[in-house]
mmCIF file of all heavy atoms in Angstrom:
data_model
loop_
_atom_site.group_PDB
_atom_site.id
_atom_site.type_symbol
_atom_site.label_atom_id
_atom_site.label_comp_id
_atom_site.label_asym_id
_atom_site.label_seq_id
_atom_site.Cartn_x
_atom_site.Cartn_y
_atom_site.Cartn_z
ATOM 1 N N LEU B 97 13.054 3.889 -16.287
ATOM 2 C CA LEU B 97 13.267 2.569 -15.692
ATOM 3 C C LEU B 97 11.963 1.797 -15.800
ATOM 4 O O LEU B 97 10.867 2.390 -15.738
ATOM 5 C CB LEU B 97 13.670 2.731 -14.229
ATOM 6 C CG LEU B 97 14.558 1.682 -13.557
ATOM 7 C CD1 LEU B 97 15.862 1.480 -14.332
ATOM 8 C CD2 LEU B 97 14.857 2.093 -12.122
ATOM 9 N N ARG B 98 12.060 0.503 -15.972
ATOM 10 C CA ARG B 98 10.859 -0.335 -16.033
ATOM 11 C C ARG B 98 10.919 -1.393 -14.956
ATOM 12 O O ARG B 98 11.848 -2.215 -14.933
ATOM 13 C CB ARG B 98 10.729 -0.998 -17.402
ATOM 14 C CG ARG B 98 9.420 -1.742 -17.615
ATOM 15 C CD ARG B 98 9.520 -2.658 -18.799
ATOM 16 N NE ARG B 98 8.220 -3.124 -19.269
ATOM 17 C CZ ARG B 98 8.030 -4.303 -19.860
ATOM 18 N NH1 ARG B 98 9.044 -5.127 -20.065
ATOM 19 N NH2 ARG B 98 6.824 -4.652 -20.274
ATOM 20 N N LEU B 99 9.924 -1.368 -14.074
ATOM 21 C CA LEU B 99 9.838 -2.365 -13.016
ATOM 22 C C LEU B 99 8.902 -3.495 -13.441
ATOM 23 O O LEU B 99 7.942 -3.269 -14.178
ATOM 24 C CB LEU B 99 9.313 -1.744 -11.727
ATOM 25 C CG LEU B 99 10.071 -0.533 -11.183
ATOM 26 C CD1 LEU B 99 9.460 -0.097 -9.850
ATOM 27 C CD2 LEU B 99 11.549 -0.816 -11.048
ATOM 28 N N SER B 100 9.189 -4.688 -12.951
ATOM 29 C CA SER B 100 8.341 -5.840 -13.198
ATOM 30 C C SER B 100 7.880 -6.431 -11.876
ATOM 31 O O SER B 100 8.586 -6.354 -10.861
ATOM 32 C CB SER B 100 9.091 -6.918 -13.979
ATOM 33 O OG SER B 100 9.495 -6.455 -15.247
ATOM 34 N N CYS B 101 6.714 -7.036 -11.910
ATOM 35 C CA CYS B 101 6.155 -7.728 -10.750
ATOM 36 C C CYS B 101 5.586 -9.043 -11.269
ATOM 37 O O CYS B 101 4.646 -9.036 -12.058
ATOM 38 C CB CYS B 101 5.075 -6.867 -10.111
ATOM 39 S SG CYS B 101 4.071 -7.691 -8.856
ATOM 40 N N VAL B 102 6.179 -10.139 -10.831
ATOM 41 C CA VAL B 102 5.742 -11.454 -11.286
ATOM 42 C C VAL B 102 5.030 -12.182 -10.161
ATOM 43 O O VAL B 102 5.557 -12.272 -9.039
ATOM 44 C CB VAL B 102 6.928 -12.298 -11.779
ATOM 45 C CG1 VAL B 102 6.445 -13.672 -12.240
ATOM 46 C CG2 VAL B 102 7.647 -11.581 -12.918
ATOM 47 N N ALA B 103 3.843 -12.709 -10.479
ATOM 48 C CA ALA B 103 3.019 -13.392 -9.477
ATOM 49 C C ALA B 103 3.103 -14.904 -9.633
ATOM 50 O O ALA B 103 3.292 -15.414 -10.744
ATOM 51 C CB ALA B 103 1.581 -12.935 -9.616
ATOM 52 N N SER B 104 2.949 -15.595 -8.531
ATOM 53 C CA SER B 104 2.906 -17.053 -8.567
ATOM 54 C C SER B 104 2.067 -17.567 -7.400
ATOM 55 O O SER B 104 1.863 -16.847 -6.413
ATOM 56 C CB SER B 104 4.321 -17.646 -8.495
ATOM 57 O OG SER B 104 4.968 -17.262 -7.305
ATOM 58 N N GLY B 105 1.571 -18.777 -7.543
ATOM 59 C CA GLY B 105 0.836 -19.399 -6.458
ATOM 60 C C GLY B 105 -0.646 -19.093 -6.421
ATOM 61 O O GLY B 105 -1.345 -19.534 -5.501
ATOM 62 N N PHE B 106 -1.161 -18.326 -7.381
ATOM 63 C CA PHE B 106 -2.591 -18.043 -7.415
ATOM 64 C C PHE B 106 -3.001 -17.713 -8.849
ATOM 65 O O PHE B 106 -2.156 -17.433 -9.703
ATOM 66 C CB PHE B 106 -2.946 -16.893 -6.477
ATOM 67 C CG PHE B 106 -2.355 -15.542 -6.843
ATOM 68 C CD1 PHE B 106 -3.098 -14.603 -7.545
ATOM 69 C CD2 PHE B 106 -1.057 -15.206 -6.469
ATOM 70 C CE1 PHE B 106 -2.557 -13.363 -7.871
ATOM 71 C CE2 PHE B 106 -0.508 -13.976 -6.790
ATOM 72 C CZ PHE B 106 -1.261 -13.046 -7.493
ATOM 73 N N THR B 107 -4.307 -17.748 -9.092
ATOM 74 C CA THR B 107 -4.841 -17.395 -10.404
ATOM 75 C C THR B 107 -4.772 -15.886 -10.557
ATOM 76 O O THR B 107 -5.464 -15.154 -9.846
ATOM 77 C CB THR B 107 -6.289 -17.892 -10.550
ATOM 78 O OG1 THR B 107 -6.314 -19.315 -10.361
ATOM 79 C CG2 THR B 107 -6.837 -17.556 -11.928
ATOM 80 N N PHE B 108 -3.932 -15.435 -11.460
ATOM 81 C CA PHE B 108 -3.524 -14.032 -11.550
ATOM 82 C C PHE B 108 -4.609 -13.131 -12.154
ATOM 83 O O PHE B 108 -4.851 -12.025 -11.662
ATOM 84 C CB PHE B 108 -2.253 -13.956 -12.390
ATOM 85 C CG PHE B 108 -1.682 -12.579 -12.564
ATOM 86 C CD1 PHE B 108 -1.116 -11.921 -11.493
ATOM 87 C CD2 PHE B 108 -1.679 -11.962 -13.810
ATOM 88 C CE1 PHE B 108 -0.565 -10.662 -11.646
ATOM 89 C CE2 PHE B 108 -1.136 -10.704 -13.976
ATOM 90 C CZ PHE B 108 -0.575 -10.051 -12.891
ATOM 91 N N THR B 109 -5.290 -13.619 -13.172
ATOM 92 C CA THR B 109 -6.136 -12.777 -14.013
ATOM 93 C C THR B 109 -7.191 -11.951 -13.276
ATOM 94 O O THR B 109 -7.392 -10.798 -13.602
ATOM 95 C CB THR B 109 -6.802 -13.627 -15.115
ATOM 96 O OG1 THR B 109 -5.768 -14.256 -15.891
ATOM 97 C CG2 THR B 109 -7.656 -12.774 -16.024
ATOM 98 N N PRO B 110 -7.898 -12.476 -12.294
ATOM 99 C CA PRO B 110 -8.990 -11.694 -11.701
ATOM 100 C C PRO B 110 -8.556 -10.519 -10.824
ATOM 101 O O PRO B 110 -9.374 -9.655 -10.501
ATOM 102 C CB PRO B 110 -9.711 -12.719 -10.824
ATOM 103 C CG PRO B 110 -9.253 -14.051 -11.275
ATOM 104 C CD PRO B 110 -7.858 -13.848 -11.763
ATOM 105 N N TYR B 111 -7.288 -10.459 -10.463
ATOM 106 C CA TYR B 111 -6.901 -9.527 -9.414
ATOM 107 C C TYR B 111 -6.312 -8.219 -9.912
ATOM 108 O O TYR B 111 -5.478 -8.168 -10.806
ATOM 109 C CB TYR B 111 -5.898 -10.188 -8.465
ATOM 110 C CG TYR B 111 -6.506 -11.298 -7.661
ATOM 111 C CD1 TYR B 111 -6.295 -12.632 -7.999
ATOM 112 C CD2 TYR B 111 -7.337 -11.010 -6.574
ATOM 113 C CE1 TYR B 111 -6.882 -13.652 -7.274
ATOM 114 C CE2 TYR B 111 -7.919 -12.027 -5.839
ATOM 115 C CZ TYR B 111 -7.692 -13.348 -6.205
ATOM 116 O OH TYR B 111 -8.277 -14.349 -5.485
#
Side-chain angles (χ1 to χ4, degrees):
Chain B
L97 209 56
R98 188 195 195 210
L99 305 183
S100 298
C101 169
V102 180
S104 60
F106 65 98
T107 302
F108 181 69
T109 302
Y111 292 102

